[in-house]
Amino acid sequence: MTTQEFLGKENFTINDQTVSESCPSNIALIKYWGKYKDQIPANPSISFTLNHCKTNTEMEFLANETFSVQTFLSGSEEVKFAEKIEKYFKNIEQYLPWILKGKYIIRTENTFPHSSGIASSASGFGAIAKCLMKLDESFSSENHQPSTINQKASFLARLGSGSACRSLYNGLVVWGESEDVLGSSDLFAVQYPNSEVHDIFKDFNDWVLLIHEGVKSVSSTVGHGLMNTNPYAERRFQEARENFVPMKEILKNGDMQRFIKLVEHEALTLHAMMMMSDPAFILMQTGTLEVINKIWNFRKETNLPLFFTLDAGANVHLLFPNNGSEEKIKTFIETELLQHTQKNGVVKDVMKF
Ligand code: PMV
């Protein structure tokens, strides 16, 4: 598929509509960090889609009114978010030619705490893109296959927030062209084939330790931009591409030790890139490092499969499979790790598929 194939058709009839959609968040195992124009990723990434952390969105479209967007997050009006969405809608008009021909009232809520620092942009833009595709289907004269609709939703979500395009699929999801994943594309995400995934990865926990609640000191947008002048960027992009080779083998054969090593390496590399940016920045907090050290000691002592990944923030995603050892791991988390969070904050999610 090329960008041209996503252009919208001029045959449409609009009317007042209210649609609702829900979209989960996702956590990357091989990270996307660095991009080119039009949200083209500098390297392919792969993520797990979460089951509980979701955004629920209701979109009211008032046809033929002057274009404007009003947004509410958990009932409170969010003017800044509305401005962002207005800009986004103007940016995607060529793909949905009716989009500026009405007024929007968007009501959205997250199933996870607002101030938690869990990326709401992935689930948020995912849910908005799904609502837009629902409107598009009802306004257009042709009916499309659900898979085509979802692919275009992923394409549109990408233009809102890169990692959002992965939230349109369950399980393991790849975004970015990789010679190791059939059908992968820079323009939208694809589901990683379930038949190529060992059962151990199909029932996994992701407990997010809320180390630092609140706004990050450096946004993802600024962070991606700093990769343009980072002298290590090219090497990093190449490494991420190369990491798909061992990742494919590991996903197939269920080698947990290699999986742990690769996933933790990816998380630390993401943060190393931040430290090697100019200006440098650090999003980890003292608690992040304390938790990482405790996880490493715990693994050394028990050999149990508890490990971590990080997104662009201080929170630690604790990953562990449901394979019989989870009760011991949960007890360790409650007694040893929770004390490093701000308010005993933990969001317990799973990846089941
Ligand atoms: O989608 P963005 O622009 O918020 O970037 C997200 C980048 C990371 O979360 C750090 C990594 C990833 O692949 O999700």
Side-chain angles (χ1 to χ4, degrees):
M1 292 283 284
T2 62
T3 301
Q4 295 298 313
E5 289 169 80
F6 289 102
L7 291 175
K9 304 259 181 330
E10 291 298 334
N11 288 345
F12 56 81
T13 316
I14 54 172
N15 50 35
D16 291 0
Q17 291 265 349
T18 300
V19 293
S20 298
E21 282 288 356
S22 173
C23 186
S25 189
N26 71 75
I27 180 71
L29 303 169
I30 293 179
K31 307 285 179 181
Y32 148 64
W33 196 242
K35 61 179 169 181
Y36 307 122
K37 197 172 167 282
D38 295 331
Q39 305 266 83
I40 297 300
N43 63 260
S45 56
I46 182 165
S47 58
F48 266 134
T49 294
L50 301 178
N51 285 40
H52 301 323
C53 287
K54 287 185 178 168
T55 299
N56 301 319
T57 296
E58 183 192 88
M59 187 180 281
E60 191 178 343
F61 177 73
L62 301 166
N64 298 319
E65 294 211 19
T66 307
F67 172 64
S68 69
V69 179
Q70 205 179 4
T71 56
F72 295 88
L73 178 58
S74 305
S76 312
E77 184 158 11
E78 291 275 331
V79 177
K80 280 256 164 318
F81 187 49
E83 286 167 6
K84 201 169 165 180
I85 299 299
E86 260 191 50
K87 210 168 136 199
Y88 168 60
F89 283 6
K90 285 179 183 162
N91 196 26
I92 59 174
E93 191 190 6
Q94 55 189 313
Y95 308 111
L96 301 170
W98 49 265
I99 197 165
L100 303 183
K101 301 193 184 307
K103 174 183 169 163
Y104 296 81
I105 301 163
I106 299 173
R107 294 184 184 85
T108 183
E109 55 178 35
N110 297 324
T111 61
F112 46 91
H114 175 46
S115 62
S116 65
I118 294 180
S120 58
S121 63
S123 51
F125 273 102
I128 285 178
K130 283 171 87 171
C131 285
L132 290 174
M133 285 310 295
K134 229 179 198 175
L135 290 179
D136 191 55
E137 270 307 284
S138 88
F139 298 161
S140 83
S141 44
E142 303 164 44
N143 282 328
H144 299 104
Q145 294 291 332
S147 60
T148 315
I149 298 168
N150 211 41
Q151 189 177 63
K152 186 158 176 179
S154 176
F155 173 90
L156 293 173
R158 178 194 109 243
L159 293 167
S161 164
S163 59
C165 72
R166 296 189 306 241
S167 280
L168 276 292
Y169 296 90
N170 293 330
L172 282 155
V173 183
V174 173
W175 168 42
E177 204 173 323
S178 162
E179 57 188 31
D180 298 295
V181 182
L182 198 70
S184 57
S185 167
D186 286 344
L187 302 178
F188 50 84
V190 295
Q191 192 162 35
Y192 190 80
N194 269 353
S195 58
E196 296 297 306
V197 182
H198 191 281
D199 281 347
I200 188 100
F201 301 116
K202 293 183 181 169
D203 188 0
F204 233 85
N205 297 288
D206 178 2
W207 283 20
V208 192
L209 287 183
L210 307 179
I211 303 286
H212 183 77
E213 304 191 24
V215 183
K216 293 184 285 191
S217 58
V218 176
S219 70
S220 287
T221 310
V222 172
H224 283 292
L226 286 171
M227 286 299 272
N228 294 335
T229 52
N230 188 322
Y232 297 91
E234 273 312 316
R235 182 65 197 95
R236 159 61 197 157
F237 300 150
Q238 190 188 333
E239 186 197 44
R241 255 173 255 131
E242 289 165 0
N243 279 346
F244 270 79
V245 176
M247 183 58 95
K248 257 179 91 167
E249 284 172 21
I250 293 165
L251 290 177
K252 180 92 190 162
N253 65 21
D255 187 338
M256 194 53 71
Q257 295 313 315
R258 283 179 78 202
F259 187 64
I260 291 173
K261 198 168 162 203
L262 185 53
V263 170
E264 288 189 348
H265 175 76
E266 274 289 323
L268 293 175
T269 304
L270 168 71
H271 284 259
M273 285 300 120
M274 298 173 188
M275 291 185 225
M276 290 191 285
S277 293
D278 182 11
F281 62 106
I282 300 179
L283 295 182
M284 291 190 281
Q285 301 274 338
T286 314
T288 316
L289 297 175
E290 282 168 339
V291 166
I292 290 175
N293 278 312
K294 280 195 174 175
I295 292 171
W296 282 345
N297 285 335
F298 176 76
R299 273 219 309 278
K300 215 182 269 170
E301 282 162 17
T302 64
N303 219 12
L304 295 178
L306 169 66
F307 57 110
F308 69 88
T309 189
L310 308 164
D311 57 17
N315 296 335
V316 184
H317 288 249
L318 301 171
L319 303 175
F320 52 103
N322 281 322
N323 70 339
S325 55
E326 64 274 15
E327 287 315 318
K328 280 190 188 136
I329 290 175
K330 287 176 186 174
T331 306
F332 170 72
I333 295 172
E334 309 271 0
T335 56
E336 290 295 328
L337 302 186
L338 268 192
Q339 57 190 276
H340 299 288
T341 62
Q342 253 182 358
K343 293 178 213 140
N344 269 348
V346 59
V347 173
K348 299 176 181 177
D349 213 324
V350 286
M351 286 87 65
K352 255 193 206 312
F353 58 101

mmCIF file of all heavy atoms in Angstrom, residues 270-307:
data_model
loop_
_atom_site.group_PDB
_atom_site.id
_atom_site.type_symbol
_atom_site.label_atom_id
_atom_site.label_comp_id
_atom_site.label_asym_id
_atom_site.label_seq_id
_atom_site.Cartn_x
_atom_site.Cartn_y
_atom_site.Cartn_z
ATOM 1 N N LEU A 270 17.062 3.127 24.642
ATOM 2 C CA LEU A 270 16.189 4.295 24.456
ATOM 3 C C LEU A 270 16.631 5.432 25.387
ATOM 4 O O LEU A 270 16.789 6.580 24.958
ATOM 5 C CB LEU A 270 14.731 3.875 24.756
ATOM 6 C CG LEU A 270 13.688 4.975 24.913
ATOM 7 C CD1 LEU A 270 13.405 5.628 23.559
ATOM 8 C CD2 LEU A 270 12.382 4.419 25.495
ATOM 9 N N HIS A 271 16.865 5.083 26.651
ATOM 10 C CA HIS A 271 17.236 6.126 27.618
ATOM 11 C C HIS A 271 18.683 6.580 27.418
ATOM 12 O O HIS A 271 19.013 7.745 27.673
ATOM 13 C CB HIS A 271 16.937 5.645 29.045
ATOM 14 C CG HIS A 271 15.468 5.713 29.329
ATOM 15 N ND1 HIS A 271 14.889 6.724 30.058
ATOM 16 C CD2 HIS A 271 14.437 4.936 28.885
ATOM 17 C CE1 HIS A 271 13.574 6.546 30.081
ATOM 18 N NE2 HIS A 271 13.274 5.462 29.384
ATOM 19 N N ALA A 272 19.545 5.691 26.928
ATOM 20 C CA ALA A 272 20.923 6.089 26.618
ATOM 21 C C ALA A 272 20.907 7.129 25.498
ATOM 22 O O ALA A 272 21.684 8.093 25.516
ATOM 23 C CB ALA A 272 21.739 4.865 26.205
ATOM 24 N N MET A 273 20.004 6.946 24.518
ATOM 25 C CA MET A 273 19.901 7.919 23.416
ATOM 26 C C MET A 273 19.514 9.296 23.964
ATOM 27 O O MET A 273 20.001 10.320 23.475
ATOM 28 C CB MET A 273 18.840 7.463 22.401
ATOM 29 C CG MET A 273 19.266 6.339 21.511
ATOM 30 S SD MET A 273 20.702 6.794 20.527
ATOM 31 C CE MET A 273 21.837 5.563 21.077
ATOM 32 N N MET A 274 18.650 9.307 24.971
ATOM 33 C CA MET A 274 18.248 10.592 25.563
ATOM 34 C C MET A 274 19.453 11.248 26.220
ATOM 35 O O MET A 274 19.681 12.452 26.085
ATOM 36 C CB MET A 274 17.152 10.374 26.610
ATOM 37 C CG MET A 274 15.890 9.774 26.027
ATOM 38 S SD MET A 274 14.711 9.365 27.327
ATOM 39 C CE MET A 274 13.481 8.485 26.373
ATOM 40 N N MET A 275 20.248 10.447 26.899
ATOM 41 C CA MET A 275 21.413 10.997 27.606
ATOM 42 C C MET A 275 22.486 11.461 26.625
ATOM 43 O O MET A 275 23.296 12.306 26.956
ATOM 44 C CB MET A 275 21.999 9.942 28.548
ATOM 45 C CG MET A 275 21.102 9.641 29.722
ATOM 46 S SD MET A 275 21.924 8.508 30.848
ATOM 47 C CE MET A 275 20.606 7.372 31.178
ATOM 48 N N MET A 276 22.490 10.890 25.411
ATOM 49 C CA MET A 276 23.501 11.276 24.422
ATOM 50 C C MET A 276 22.978 12.326 23.444
ATOM 51 O O MET A 276 23.629 12.640 22.461
ATOM 52 C CB MET A 276 24.011 10.043 23.696
ATOM 53 C CG MET A 276 24.847 9.182 24.650
ATOM 54 S SD MET A 276 25.741 7.876 23.872
ATOM 55 C CE MET A 276 24.454 6.703 23.548
ATOM 56 N N SER A 277 21.791 12.865 23.724
ATOM 57 C CA SER A 277 21.249 13.946 22.886
ATOM 58 C C SER A 277 21.893 15.267 23.284
ATOM 59 O O SER A 277 22.494 15.377 24.353
ATOM 60 C CB SER A 277 19.733 14.053 23.082
ATOM 61 O OG SER A 277 19.089 12.914 22.583
ATOM 62 N N ASP A 278 21.756 16.250 22.452
ATOM 63 C CA ASP A 278 22.287 17.580 22.752
ATOM 64 C C ASP A 278 21.178 18.609 22.522
ATOM 65 O O ASP A 278 20.833 18.869 21.377
ATOM 66 C CB ASP A 278 23.486 17.866 21.842
ATOM 67 C CG ASP A 278 24.112 19.219 22.152
ATOM 68 O OD1 ASP A 278 23.752 19.818 23.187
ATOM 69 O OD2 ASP A 278 24.954 19.673 21.355
ATOM 70 N N PRO A 279 20.559 19.174 23.586
ATOM 71 C CA PRO A 279 20.904 18.969 24.996
ATOM 72 C C PRO A 279 20.494 17.590 25.515
ATOM 73 O O PRO A 279 19.496 17.020 25.054
ATOM 74 C CB PRO A 279 20.085 20.060 25.700
ATOM 75 C CG PRO A 279 18.939 20.330 24.798
ATOM 76 C CD PRO A 279 19.448 20.127 23.403
ATOM 77 N N ALA A 280 21.288 17.111 26.469
ATOM 78 C CA ALA A 280 21.004 15.812 27.074
ATOM 79 C C ALA A 280 19.799 15.923 27.999
ATOM 80 O O ALA A 280 19.522 17.003 28.526
ATOM 81 C CB ALA A 280 22.218 15.358 27.871
ATOM 82 N N PHE A 281 19.079 14.841 28.142
ATOM 83 C CA PHE A 281 18.017 14.827 29.149
ATOM 84 C C PHE A 281 17.869 13.424 29.732
ATOM 85 O O PHE A 281 18.266 12.434 29.108
ATOM 86 C CB PHE A 281 16.678 15.347 28.582
ATOM 87 C CG PHE A 281 16.098 14.545 27.450
ATOM 88 C CD1 PHE A 281 14.990 13.729 27.651
ATOM 89 C CD2 PHE A 281 16.637 14.604 26.167
ATOM 90 C CE1 PHE A 281 14.425 12.997 26.608
ATOM 91 C CE2 PHE A 281 16.090 13.865 25.123
ATOM 92 C CZ PHE A 281 14.989 13.071 25.343
ATOM 93 N N ILE A 282 17.348 13.383 30.947
ATOM 94 C CA ILE A 282 17.186 12.113 31.662
ATOM 95 C C ILE A 282 15.741 12.046 32.156
ATOM 96 O O ILE A 282 15.294 12.956 32.855
ATOM 97 C CB ILE A 282 18.160 12.028 32.864
ATOM 98 C CG1 ILE A 282 19.613 12.133 32.371
ATOM 99 C CG2 ILE A 282 17.938 10.738 33.647
ATOM 100 C CD1 ILE A 282 20.659 12.093 33.479
ATOM 101 N N LEU A 283 15.027 11.018 31.747
ATOM 102 C CA LEU A 283 13.637 10.895 32.209
ATOM 103 C C LEU A 283 13.496 9.891 33.349
ATOM 104 O O LEU A 283 12.468 9.833 34.002
ATOM 105 C CB LEU A 283 12.708 10.517 31.049
ATOM 106 C CG LEU A 283 12.585 11.562 29.932
ATOM 107 C CD1 LEU A 283 11.596 11.097 28.860
ATOM 108 C CD2 LEU A 283 12.150 12.920 30.466
ATOM 109 N N MET A 284 14.556 9.102 33.587
ATOM 110 C CA MET A 284 14.501 8.175 34.719
ATOM 111 C C MET A 284 14.639 8.981 36.008
ATOM 112 O O MET A 284 15.268 10.046 36.003
ATOM 113 C CB MET A 284 15.643 7.164 34.624
ATOM 114 C CG MET A 284 15.456 6.197 33.476
ATOM 115 S SD MET A 284 16.623 4.835 33.507
ATOM 116 C CE MET A 284 18.070 5.592 32.835
ATOM 117 N N GLN A 285 14.057 8.462 37.078
ATOM 118 C CA GLN A 285 14.186 9.089 38.394
ATOM 119 C C GLN A 285 14.931 8.105 39.299
ATOM 120 O O GLN A 285 15.155 6.956 38.916
ATOM 121 C CB GLN A 285 12.793 9.359 38.984
ATOM 122 C CG GLN A 285 11.916 10.251 38.135
ATOM 123 C CD GLN A 285 12.132 11.728 38.402
ATOM 124 O OE1 GLN A 285 12.611 12.107 39.457
ATOM 125 N NE2 GLN A 285 11.794 12.559 37.438
ATOM 126 N N THR A 286 15.267 8.563 40.500
ATOM 127 C CA THR A 286 15.971 7.692 41.457
ATOM 128 C C THR A 286 15.230 6.363 41.607
ATOM 129 O O THR A 286 15.844 5.293 41.569
ATOM 130 C CB THR A 286 16.028 8.390 42.841
ATOM 131 O OG1 THR A 286 16.427 9.726 42.607
ATOM 132 C CG2 THR A 286 16.996 7.707 43.772
ATOM 133 N N GLY A 287 13.894 6.447 41.738
ATOM 134 C CA GLY A 287 13.092 5.237 41.929
ATOM 135 C C GLY A 287 13.224 4.262 40.765
ATOM 136 O O GLY A 287 13.203 3.035 40.955
ATOM 137 N N THR A 288 13.368 4.802 39.547
ATOM 138 C CA THR A 288 13.507 3.939 38.364
ATOM 139 C C THR A 288 14.757 3.062 38.530
ATOM 140 O O THR A 288 14.724 1.846 38.325
ATOM 141 C CB THR A 288 13.662 4.799 37.084
ATOM 142 O OG1 THR A 288 12.725 5.868 37.118
ATOM 143 C CG2 THR A 288 13.495 3.985 35.834
ATOM 144 N N LEU A 289 15.867 3.704 38.912
ATOM 145 C CA LEU A 289 17.144 2.977 39.038
ATOM 146 C C LEU A 289 17.103 2.001 40.214
ATOM 147 O O LEU A 289 17.632 0.891 40.121
ATOM 148 C CB LEU A 289 18.296 3.968 39.228
ATOM 149 C CG LEU A 289 18.504 4.924 38.044
ATOM 150 C CD1 LEU A 289 19.573 5.945 38.353
ATOM 151 C CD2 LEU A 289 18.864 4.157 36.783
ATOM 152 N N GLU A 290 16.461 2.417 41.297
ATOM 153 C CA GLU A 290 16.362 1.516 42.458
ATOM 154 C C GLU A 290 15.584 0.251 42.084
ATOM 155 O O GLU A 290 15.979 -0.855 42.439
ATOM 156 C CB GLU A 290 15.696 2.241 43.632
ATOM 157 C CG GLU A 290 16.689 3.175 44.319
ATOM 158 C CD GLU A 290 16.036 4.143 45.318
ATOM 159 O OE1 GLU A 290 14.811 4.387 45.223
ATOM 160 O OE2 GLU A 290 16.761 4.649 46.169
ATOM 161 N N VAL A 291 14.502 0.447 41.344
ATOM 162 C CA VAL A 291 13.690 -0.705 40.939
ATOM 163 C C VAL A 291 14.487 -1.619 39.997
ATOM 164 O O VAL A 291 14.493 -2.851 40.153
ATOM 165 C CB VAL A 291 12.367 -0.230 40.284
ATOM 166 C CG1 VAL A 291 11.666 -1.366 39.564
ATOM 167 C CG2 VAL A 291 11.444 0.389 41.326
ATOM 168 N N ILE A 292 15.192 -1.022 39.037
ATOM 169 C CA ILE A 292 15.975 -1.834 38.083
ATOM 170 C C ILE A 292 17.009 -2.688 38.842
ATOM 171 O O ILE A 292 17.142 -3.888 38.604
ATOM 172 C CB ILE A 292 16.658 -0.928 37.029
ATOM 173 C CG1 ILE A 292 15.595 -0.337 36.095
ATOM 174 C CG2 ILE A 292 17.714 -1.691 36.237
ATOM 175 C CD1 ILE A 292 16.119 0.679 35.084
ATOM 176 N N ASN A 293 17.713 -2.064 39.772
ATOM 177 C CA ASN A 293 18.718 -2.821 40.540
ATOM 178 C C ASN A 293 18.088 -3.941 41.349
ATOM 179 O O ASN A 293 18.628 -5.042 41.419
ATOM 180 C CB ASN A 293 19.514 -1.880 41.449
ATOM 181 C CG ASN A 293 20.626 -1.210 40.656
ATOM 182 O OD1 ASN A 293 21.367 -1.869 39.931
ATOM 183 N ND2 ASN A 293 20.720 0.094 40.753
ATOM 184 N N LYS A 294 16.931 -3.661 41.930
ATOM 185 C CA LYS A 294 16.268 -4.707 42.725
ATOM 186 C C LYS A 294 15.804 -5.867 41.831
ATOM 187 O O LYS A 294 15.858 -7.021 42.228
ATOM 188 C CB LYS A 294 15.077 -4.125 43.490
ATOM 189 C CG LYS A 294 15.494 -3.381 44.754
ATOM 190 C CD LYS A 294 14.278 -3.148 45.637
ATOM 191 C CE LYS A 294 14.696 -2.547 46.977
ATOM 192 N NZ LYS A 294 13.527 -2.197 47.805
ATOM 193 N N ILE A 295 15.335 -5.529 40.620
ATOM 194 C CA ILE A 295 14.902 -6.590 39.686
ATOM 195 C C ILE A 295 16.101 -7.476 39.327
ATOM 196 O O ILE A 295 16.009 -8.702 39.317
ATOM 197 C CB ILE A 295 14.293 -5.984 38.393
ATOM 198 C CG1 ILE A 295 12.981 -5.290 38.705
ATOM 199 C CG2 ILE A 295 14.104 -7.045 37.324
ATOM 200 C CD1 ILE A 295 12.415 -4.485 37.536
ATOM 201 N N TRP A 296 17.240 -6.833 39.048
ATOM 202 C CA TRP A 296 18.433 -7.609 38.664
ATOM 203 C C TRP A 296 18.884 -8.514 39.813
ATOM 204 O O TRP A 296 19.238 -9.665 39.602
ATOM 205 C CB TRP A 296 19.563 -6.659 38.225
ATOM 206 C CG TRP A 296 19.348 -6.134 36.828
ATOM 207 C CD1 TRP A 296 18.487 -6.620 35.900
ATOM 208 C CD2 TRP A 296 20.008 -5.026 36.205
ATOM 209 N NE1 TRP A 296 18.563 -5.876 34.726
ATOM 210 C CE2 TRP A 296 19.494 -4.899 34.892
ATOM 211 C CE3 TRP A 296 20.979 -4.116 36.623
ATOM 212 C CZ2 TRP A 296 19.914 -3.917 33.997
ATOM 213 C CZ3 TRP A 296 21.411 -3.138 35.731
ATOM 214 C CH2 TRP A 296 20.877 -3.036 34.423
ATOM 215 N N ASN A 297 18.858 -7.994 41.043
ATOM 216 C CA ASN A 297 19.242 -8.827 42.204
ATOM 217 C C ASN A 297 18.263 -9.983 42.392
ATOM 218 O O ASN A 297 18.664 -11.115 42.655
ATOM 219 C CB ASN A 297 19.295 -7.988 43.480
ATOM 220 C CG ASN A 297 20.546 -7.124 43.499
ATOM 221 O OD1 ASN A 297 21.546 -7.455 42.861
ATOM 222 N ND2 ASN A 297 20.495 -6.004 44.202
ATOM 223 N N PHE A 298 16.978 -9.665 42.237
ATOM 224 C CA PHE A 298 15.934 -10.697 42.399
ATOM 225 C C PHE A 298 16.150 -11.824 41.384
ATOM 226 O O PHE A 298 16.065 -13.004 41.716
ATOM 227 C CB PHE A 298 14.557 -10.053 42.207
ATOM 228 C CG PHE A 298 13.394 -11.016 42.240
ATOM 229 C CD1 PHE A 298 12.935 -11.538 43.438
ATOM 230 C CD2 PHE A 298 12.731 -11.395 41.059
ATOM 231 C CE1 PHE A 298 11.849 -12.422 43.470
ATOM 232 C CE2 PHE A 298 11.659 -12.270 41.081
ATOM 233 C CZ PHE A 298 11.211 -12.784 42.301
ATOM 234 N N ARG A 299 16.441 -11.458 40.156
ATOM 235 C CA ARG A 299 16.663 -12.478 39.111
ATOM 236 C C ARG A 299 17.887 -13.330 39.414
ATOM 237 O O ARG A 299 17.873 -14.540 39.221
ATOM 238 C CB ARG A 299 16.818 -11.822 37.742
ATOM 239 C CG ARG A 299 15.525 -11.581 37.028
ATOM 240 C CD ARG A 299 15.601 -11.840 35.529
ATOM 241 N NE ARG A 299 16.686 -11.189 34.840
ATOM 242 C CZ ARG A 299 16.669 -9.920 34.417
ATOM 243 N NH1 ARG A 299 15.618 -9.163 34.621
ATOM 244 N NH2 ARG A 299 17.702 -9.424 33.782
ATOM 245 N N LYS A 300 18.948 -12.648 39.912
ATOM 246 C CA LYS A 300 20.177 -13.375 40.239
ATOM 247 C C LYS A 300 19.900 -14.401 41.343
ATOM 248 O O LYS A 300 20.337 -15.532 41.291
ATOM 249 C CB LYS A 300 21.238 -12.364 40.713
ATOM 250 C CG LYS A 300 22.652 -12.755 40.295
ATOM 251 C CD LYS A 300 23.685 -11.783 40.820
ATOM 252 C CE LYS A 300 23.973 -10.638 39.860
ATOM 253 N NZ LYS A 300 24.784 -9.586 40.481
ATOM 254 N N GLU A 301 19.106 -13.983 42.335
ATOM 255 C CA GLU A 301 18.865 -14.857 43.486
ATOM 256 C C GLU A 301 17.853 -15.965 43.193
ATOM 257 O O GLU A 301 17.973 -17.066 43.708
ATOM 258 C CB GLU A 301 18.350 -14.025 44.672
ATOM 259 C CG GLU A 301 19.467 -13.280 45.369
ATOM 260 C CD GLU A 301 18.939 -12.142 46.249
ATOM 261 O OE1 GLU A 301 17.729 -12.132 46.570
ATOM 262 O OE2 GLU A 301 19.765 -11.262 46.583
ATOM 263 N N THR A 302 16.830 -15.662 42.386
ATOM 264 C CA THR A 302 15.726 -16.627 42.225
ATOM 265 C C THR A 302 15.650 -17.264 40.839
ATOM 266 O O THR A 302 14.970 -18.271 40.669
ATOM 267 C CB THR A 302 14.366 -15.925 42.432
ATOM 268 O OG1 THR A 302 14.217 -14.946 41.386
ATOM 269 C CG2 THR A 302 14.267 -15.256 43.787
ATOM 270 N N ASN A 303 16.295 -16.616 39.866
ATOM 271 C CA ASN A 303 16.193 -17.089 38.479
ATOM 272 C C ASN A 303 14.763 -17.002 37.920
ATOM 273 O O ASN A 303 14.444 -17.660 36.931
ATOM 274 C CB ASN A 303 16.718 -18.527 38.393
ATOM 275 C CG ASN A 303 17.504 -18.734 37.123
ATOM 276 O OD1 ASN A 303 17.846 -17.758 36.436
ATOM 277 N ND2 ASN A 303 17.769 -19.972 36.782
ATOM 278 N N LEU A 304 13.898 -16.221 38.574
ATOM 279 C CA LEU A 304 12.511 -16.102 38.091
ATOM 280 C C LEU A 304 12.407 -15.003 37.024
ATOM 281 O O LEU A 304 13.135 -14.003 37.085
ATOM 282 C CB LEU A 304 11.564 -15.812 39.258
ATOM 283 C CG LEU A 304 11.445 -16.927 40.304
ATOM 284 C CD1 LEU A 304 10.517 -16.511 41.452
ATOM 285 C CD2 LEU A 304 10.924 -18.221 39.671
ATOM 286 N N PRO A 305 11.507 -15.182 36.053
ATOM 287 C CA PRO A 305 11.459 -14.287 34.879
ATOM 288 C C PRO A 305 10.727 -12.964 35.105
ATOM 289 O O PRO A 305 9.727 -12.681 34.461
ATOM 290 C CB PRO A 305 10.747 -15.138 33.828
ATOM 291 C CG PRO A 305 9.851 -16.021 34.633
ATOM 292 C CD PRO A 305 10.552 -16.294 35.926
ATOM 293 N N LEU A 306 11.251 -12.137 36.009
ATOM 294 C CA LEU A 306 10.727 -10.778 36.182
ATOM 295 C C LEU A 306 11.720 -9.827 35.530
ATOM 296 O O LEU A 306 12.909 -9.878 35.829
ATOM 297 C CB LEU A 306 10.606 -10.441 37.675
ATOM 298 C CG LEU A 306 10.327 -8.960 37.984
ATOM 299 C CD1 LEU A 306 8.950 -8.538 37.484
ATOM 300 C CD2 LEU A 306 10.443 -8.677 39.482
ATOM 301 N N PHE A 307 11.223 -8.987 34.620
ATOM 302 C CA PHE A 307 12.124 -8.036 33.952
ATOM 303 C C PHE A 307 11.365 -6.754 33.650
ATOM 304 O O PHE A 307 10.198 -6.617 34.013
ATOM 305 C CB PHE A 307 12.762 -8.664 32.710
ATOM 306 C CG PHE A 307 11.797 -9.176 31.679
ATOM 307 C CD1 PHE A 307 11.660 -8.534 30.453
ATOM 308 C CD2 PHE A 307 11.010 -10.309 31.912
ATOM 309 C CE1 PHE A 307 10.781 -9.006 29.493
ATOM 310 C CE2 PHE A 307 10.122 -10.776 30.953
ATOM 311 C CZ PHE A 307 10.012 -10.115 29.750
#
